[in-house]
């Protein structure tokens, strides 16, 4: 209950890191001298190693403050003494901790960088809602809420011309035999299909409800057909009245167990005979991650399809366990599957 989330945006981030190789640049007009050029002392946007230089500068700065850098994910940092967890994404820092320690971190960063900051939570100097990487994070009396970037759903509906359409209850459905259209779409229409499909794929990482439907749409990216377009339209109609989705994280205790749930759709693809692996990882009541993935090979039984799905879930849980260690947590993983694996 006492933790807050602090979002820090570093301005002109690349100019804070040292240049690590010799780079010559043209002098600006106000400093121009015939026959002379400049040598970069700081990293500059547009150079190949600017992002790498910034990452190394951040690592050096965070280590100086007493943070340990993640081994599984080098974008994660953990300060054991102050119990601050930090994720770095480009020039954005997202930290979780109590208000006093977050104030300490902000002051340290203000001394080194030019920053813009926002603290989400309750108390002096905080807001109850903020945007982090264009996702809405909200503090409530009952816990935290997370909203995916709704603009992508709005654009999908708009680009498909479905603004006045009636919504449907499911993001996908199995086409009836007379509805199957295997004729390939080409030109501008195929380009639009790929553009909208790519947008849906980005949105799906935060929307478990559309993952399977989007996965099926993306399978046709190289050669979209009439049936592919029908699936895309179905997704758009589903999003018509489900533009915004809240994922709720109610208050709960300090969980030490992460549970993975998995299932396999044996031979679900009528065209190729391939199966689908589906899964979700939770800690207590909190959703962490989910996925829907077409299996790479044809499986010969439902039990084999389940085994492949279980292997995928086990790999995901091992990754989450490693991520937790980067944040100073030790967790136990439990994997659950359907009864088909016991047949």
């Amino acid at each position: 209950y006492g933790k807050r989330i602090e979002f820090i945006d570093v301005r002109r981030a690349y100019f804070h890191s040292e240049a690590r190789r010799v780079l010559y640049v043209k002098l600006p007009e106000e400093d121009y001298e015939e026959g002379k050029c400049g040598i970069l002392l700081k990293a500059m946007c547009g150079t190949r190693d600017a992002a790498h230089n910034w990452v190394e500068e951040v690592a050096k700065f965070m280590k100086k403050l007493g943070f340990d850098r993640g081994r599984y994910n080098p974008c994660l940092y953990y300060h054991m003494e102050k119990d601050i967890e930090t994720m770095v994404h480009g020039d954005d820092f997202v930290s979780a901790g109590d208000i006093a320690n977050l104030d300490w971190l902000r002051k340290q960063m203000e001394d080194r960088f030019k920053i813009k900051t926002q603290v989400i939570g309750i108390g002096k100097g905080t807001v109850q809602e903020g945007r982090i990487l264009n996702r809405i994070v909200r503090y409530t009396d009952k816990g935290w809420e997370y909203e995916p970037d709704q603009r992508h759903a709005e654009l999908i509906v708009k680009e498909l011309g479905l603004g006045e359409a009636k919504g449907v209850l499911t993001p996908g459905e199995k086409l009836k035999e007379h509805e199957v259209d295997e004729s390939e779409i080409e030109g501008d229409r195929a380009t639009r299909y790929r553009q909208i499909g790519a947008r849906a794929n980005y949105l799906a990482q935060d929307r478990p409800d559309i993952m399977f439907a989007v996965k099926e749409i993306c399978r046709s990216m190289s050669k979209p057909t009439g049936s592919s377009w029908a699936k895309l339209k179905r997704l758009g109609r589903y999003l018509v009245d489900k533009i915004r989705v809240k994922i709720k994280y109610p208050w709960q205790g300090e969980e030490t167990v992460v549970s993975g749930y998995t299932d396999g759709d044996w031979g679900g693809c009528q065209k190729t005979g391939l199966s689908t692996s589906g899964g979700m990882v939770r800690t207590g009541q909190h959703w962490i991650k989910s996925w829907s993935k077409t299996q790479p090979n044809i499986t010969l039984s439902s039990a084999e399809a389940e085994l492949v799905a279980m292997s995928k879930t086990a790999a995901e849980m091992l990754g989450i366990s490693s991520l937790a260690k980067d944040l100073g947590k030790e967790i136990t993983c439990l994997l659950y599957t359907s009864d088909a694996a016991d047949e």
Side-chain angles (χ1 to χ4, degrees):
Y1 297 92
K3 285 199 171 184
R4 309 290 182 265
I5 294 177
E6 182 175 49
F7 177 67
I8 295 176
D9 179 21
V10 178
R11 299 181 179 181
R12 299 167 62 91
Y14 289 169
F15 294 109
H16 292 288
S17 55
E18 303 290 334
R20 296 173 183 268
R21 60 191 175 104
V22 179
L23 281 174
Y24 296 93
V25 294
K26 291 182 179 179
L27 293 173
E29 291 183 5
E30 59 269 25
D31 295 322
Y32 181 78
E33 292 185 36
E34 185 68 32
K36 292 188 178 181
C37 61
I39 298 178
L40 283 181
L41 300 179
K42 299 287 186 179
M44 187 172 72
C45 301
T47 56
R48 286 181 298 173
D49 52 357
H52 173 75
N53 292 349
W54 166 245
V55 168
E56 293 305 311
E57 185 67 25
V58 169
K60 183 171 69 174
F61 172 74
M62 297 296 277
K63 184 177 181 180
K64 184 178 178 180
L65 295 184
F67 283 85
D68 293 321
R69 192 178 189 183
R71 297 180 62 187
Y72 172 75
N73 186 338
C75 297
L76 296 177
Y77 293 88
Y78 179 65
H79 198 297
M80 183 176 295
E81 181 183 345
K82 295 185 178 293
D83 193 26
I84 302 176
E85 303 156 348
T86 299
M87 177 198 73
V88 181
H89 182 274
D91 57 4
D92 297 326
F93 291 66
V94 182
S95 302
D98 66 47
I99 194 70
N101 289 330
L102 290 182
D103 285 344
W104 168 82
L105 176 60
R106 184 180 70 255
K107 289 175 183 177
Q108 296 298 318
M109 294 197 67
E110 283 175 340
D111 290 342
R112 177 65 179 83
F113 309 114
K114 187 175 182 180
I115 65 173
K116 181 173 64 175
T117 184
Q118 183 180 64
V119 180
I120 305 170
I122 56 171
K124 186 178 178 181
T126 67
V127 295
Q128 287 192 280
E129 179 180 300
R131 282 191 174 269
I132 298 176
L133 302 178
N134 290 322
R135 281 82 164 173
I136 297 174
V137 177
R138 184 181 299 110
Y139 182 97
T140 72
D141 293 337
K142 296 181 180 180
W144 293 89
E145 293 179 355
Y146 174 88
E147 278 194 47
D149 189 351
Q150 70 183 69
R151 296 175 302 172
H152 294 291
E154 291 171 346
L155 285 170
I156 290 170
V157 173
K158 180 180 178 181
E159 290 167 6
L160 288 170
L162 297 172
E164 302 299 323
K166 183 179 179 181
V168 294
L169 295 177
T170 59
E173 64 175 353
K174 188 169 290 188
L175 296 176
K176 298 179 176 64
E177 190 173 342
H178 69 275
E179 294 176 327
V180 176
D181 179 6
E182 293 299 328
S183 58
E184 188 174 340
I185 59 176
E186 299 177 343
D188 292 342
R189 195 166 180 232
T191 300
R192 283 184 60 213
Y193 178 89
R194 296 184 181 104
Q195 289 173 339
I196 299 170
R199 186 181 297 280
N201 193 35
Y202 181 82
L203 177 63
Q205 65 182 328
D206 293 327
R207 292 279 301 262
D209 56 325
I210 65 173
M211 282 184 176
F212 177 78
V214 171
K215 184 265 292 185
E216 291 295 297
I217 289 167
C218 290
R219 291 180 67 195
S220 304
M221 283 293 208
S222 60
K223 291 184 179 181
T225 64
S227 295
S228 307
W229 189 263
K231 292 177 181 178
L232 188 61
K233 294 269 287 193
R234 175 75 184 195
L235 174 66
R237 289 184 62 200
Y238 172 78
L239 291 173
V240 165
D241 52 10
K242 297 175 182 65
I243 295 291
R244 298 181 65 176
V245 169
K246 290 182 184 178
I247 301 174
K248 297 185 177 182
Y249 294 87
W251 301 123
Q252 62 181 21
E254 186 76 18
E255 299 290 332
T256 58
V257 176
V258 169
S259 302
Y261 303 86
T262 183
D263 198 1
D265 178 23
W266 179 44
C269 179
Q270 296 178 343
K271 185 176 179 180
T272 64
L274 293 172
S275 305
T276 295
S277 296
M280 175 180 67
V281 178
R282 296 173 52 170
T283 176
Q285 302 178 64
H286 296 174
W287 171 76
I288 298 177
K289 184 176 183 179
S290 54
W291 59 89
S292 179
K293 180 178 176 59
T294 301
Q295 296 181 3
N297 301 306
I298 294 176
T299 51
L300 302 181
S301 68
S302 59
E304 185 180 355
E306 292 286 347
L307 179 60
V308 175
M310 290 171 64
S311 299
K312 164 67 175 172
T313 305
E316 293 287 347
M317 295 181 73
L318 286 173
I320 290 171
S321 175
S322 298
L323 186 147
K325 287 181 181 178
D326 285 349
L327 298 176
K329 307 291 189 295
E330 290 289 340
I331 61 172
T332 301
C333 297
L334 295 178
L335 194 156
Y336 299 89
T337 187
S338 69
D339 294 335
D342 298 327
E343 293 177 358

